[in-house]
Amino acid sequence: MNYNQFGKVSLVFSEEVSDALGVGKPVVALESNVITHGLDYPDNVVTAKKVEEAVRIGGSVPATIGVENGRILVGMNDACIKRFASTPDIPKVNSRDLPIILAKGGMGATTVASSLVAAELANIPFFASAGIGGVHRGAEKSMDISSDLIQFTRSKVAVVCAGAKNILDLGLTMEFLETHCVPLISYKSDDFPAFYCRSSGIRSPHRLDEERQIARAIKFHWSLGNNSSVLITSPTKEEDAIDRLEIDAVIEKAVINAEKDDVRGNVLTKYLMRAVDEATKGRSSKANMAVLINTAKVAGRLAAAYALLRKENSTCNHRT
Ligand code: PSU
Ligand code: MN
C-alpha cells in the first residue's frame, strides 16, 4: 500500500467530464444505484445511456458516479456503464458506506446521498435523480429515514428530481426538508410530484416557472451562507404519468407485505419498488423510464441556465 496516499480520495474523471469542467461547461452528476439496483440488465444499460443523452439534449454533460477499485468515478464511458449494469452483487453504497468501500478497494453503486458527496468533491453543483429517498411510512417506529435527506443538509448541490415514490411518507419527507431548511422548488407545477404520478396531492411550498429564476434562487441559497442542497422537482409528462389512486392501492399492499416479510433497512426501498413494478405488470417500469429521461433533460437545462448566470456574473464582476 502506498501510505503517501493514506486517506486521500481518488477521483477518476472521464475525458468528457474533465474537458467540460475545464472550460466551465455545465455538468450534471447522476447516481449509479438506479443502474445496479433499480432496473434489470439489459434495460439498465439502455436506460442509463438514454438518461445521459437526455442530459446532453438539455445542454449539459452527464457525469455518472460510481466506485471502482476504491476510486470514485466521475463520468462513465459506455464500457464502464455496461460493467456496472452487468456485474452481479455490486453493493448499494450510501454516504455511511462510502469510506469502507474506498478502504476495501471495491466496487460500489452510489445512491443519491453518496453521489452528492462525490459531486461536491468534483466541483459539480448539479445532480439529477428521478426519485430521491425520503422518510419511510411508519418511520415514527422504524426510524427509517433515507440518508439522502441527511446528505441534502450537508452538500452544496442542486438536486433535480421528480419528487419521490409514494412508497414513502411524502408529507413527512417534506416536513423534514422544511425543518432542515432545504429549499424546495417545484418547476412548472403547484404540487410535489410523486415520481410517475404528476402530483402527490401535497402542495409544494414554492413554484417557479422560469429556469433563470431557479438558477438565481440556487445562487441566493448559497450566497446566504447555507452549505446545503436545493431541491427542484419537475413532474413527469402528462402522457407518461400513472394515476395516483391506482398506484396508492398497490403500494399499500406492498407496505403491508414488507412488514409481514420483515423486510427493513437498506433493502426495503428496492423491495417496495419491485412489488409495485410486478403489480402494475411492467406498466410502471415503462413510466419509470420516462420519468428518468424527463428529469435528466430538465436537469440538463437547469444546469445550463445556472452555468450561464454564473458566467455572466463573473464577466460583469471583471468589468467593475
Ligand atoms: N427511489 C426510486 N428509485 C431508486 C431509489 C430511490 O424511485 O432507485 C434509490 C436511490 O439510489 C436512492 C436510494 O438514493 O434508493 C435510497 O435508498 P434508501 O431509502 O435505502 O436510503
Ligand atoms: Mn433506509
Side-chain angles (χ1 to χ4, degrees):
M1 191 189 288
N2 179 355
Y3 283 99
N4 290 334
Q5 294 295 307
F6 180 63
K8 189 174 182 300
V9 177
S10 299
L11 296 178
V12 182
F13 291 86
S14 71
E15 212 177 299
E16 187 189 12
V17 172
S18 161
D19 289 350
L21 291 173
V23 296
K25 253 175 118 177
V27 177
V28 175
L30 301 163
E31 59 157 316
S32 50
N33 183 53
V34 65
I35 303 176
T36 57
H37 291 72
L39 301 156
D40 291 327
Y41 183 79
D43 283 355
N44 53 1
V45 181
V46 177
T47 308
K49 286 191 193 166
K50 281 192 181 163
V51 164
E52 288 210 334
E53 201 41 44
V55 171
R56 290 192 188 95
I57 290 168
S60 298
V61 169
T64 302
I65 309 281
V67 181
E68 196 168 40
N69 301 323
R71 301 186 304 174
I72 296 178
L73 307 180
V74 183
M76 293 190 191
N77 60 23
D78 285 358
C80 194
I81 286 181
K82 190 162 178 213
R83 223 164 34 247
F84 269 77
S86 58
T87 305
D89 303 326
I90 299 178
K92 168 180 175 180
V93 171
N94 64 22
S95 307
R96 166 196 75 170
D97 309 313
L98 192 53
I100 294 98
I101 294 294
L102 296 182
K104 280 165 74 175
M107 255 179 131
T110 51
T111 63
V112 171
S114 54
S115 300
L116 290 181
V117 172
E120 194 168 25
L121 284 175
N123 263 322
I124 300 173
F126 262 82
F127 169 83
S129 166
I132 56 164
V135 179
H136 276 272
R137 296 179 184 211
E140 63 275 16
K141 261 176 82 188
S142 68
M143 288 194 60
D144 193 347
I145 298 173
S146 173
S147 51
D148 293 356
L149 294 187
I150 314 301
Q151 198 61 52
F152 294 157
T153 71
R154 302 178 179 182
S155 293
K156 275 175 81 172
V157 179
V159 175
V160 184
C161 65
K165 283 189 183 148
N166 222 359
I167 56 171
L168 303 166
D169 188 321
L170 298 183
L172 290 188
T173 300
M174 290 172 71
E175 289 294 347
F176 184 100
L177 294 171
E178 180 180 357
T179 298
H180 290 275
C181 316
V182 176
L184 171 57
I185 301 167
S186 290
Y187 177 49
K188 290 186 179 164
S189 71
D190 292 322
D191 291 353
F192 186 74
F195 202 81
Y196 23 56
C197 308
R198 280 175 57 84
S199 165
S200 61
I202 305 170
R203 216 175 160 82
S204 178
H206 299 286
R207 169 184 177 143
L208 292 179
D209 288 2
E210 283 171 26
E211 291 168 9
R212 205 176 161 80
Q213 210 168 33
I214 292 177
R216 277 164 52 78
I218 294 166
K219 184 69 186 82
F220 270 123
H221 180 60
W222 294 329
S223 296
L224 287 164
N226 295 295
N227 292 315
S228 53
S229 303
V230 175
L231 201 64
I232 302 119
T233 66
S234 169
T236 194
K237 290 187 191 143
E238 205 128 12
E239 61 267 31
D240 299 321
I242 302 186
D243 185 56
R244 195 172 78 229
L245 296 178
E246 183 187 335
I247 287 285
D248 276 358
V250 171
I251 288 170
E252 253 148 52
K253 258 192 223 142
V255 170
I256 292 169
N257 284 339
E259 209 168 304
K260 252 199 248 149
D261 294 347
D262 204 22
V263 180
R264 45 182 137 167
N266 71 349
V267 292
L268 178 62
T269 297
K270 184 172 174 179
Y271 174 95
L272 292 173
M273 289 187 324
R274 286 299 152 103
V276 175
D277 281 350
E278 271 164 37
T280 53
K281 300 205 173 55
R283 258 189 74 211
S284 70
S285 16
K286 241 177 128 193
N288 210 342
M289 197 188 268
V291 186
L292 288 161
I293 291 167
N294 187 57
T295 310
K297 205 185 287 174
V298 172
R301 286 211 311 268
L302 289 173
Y306 181 79
L308 182 66
L309 198 69
R310 197 153 71 167
K311 202 177 259 176
E312 286 171 7
N313 218 45
S314 68
T315 35
C316 167
N317 284 344
H318 280 311
R319 270 193 225 117
T320 51

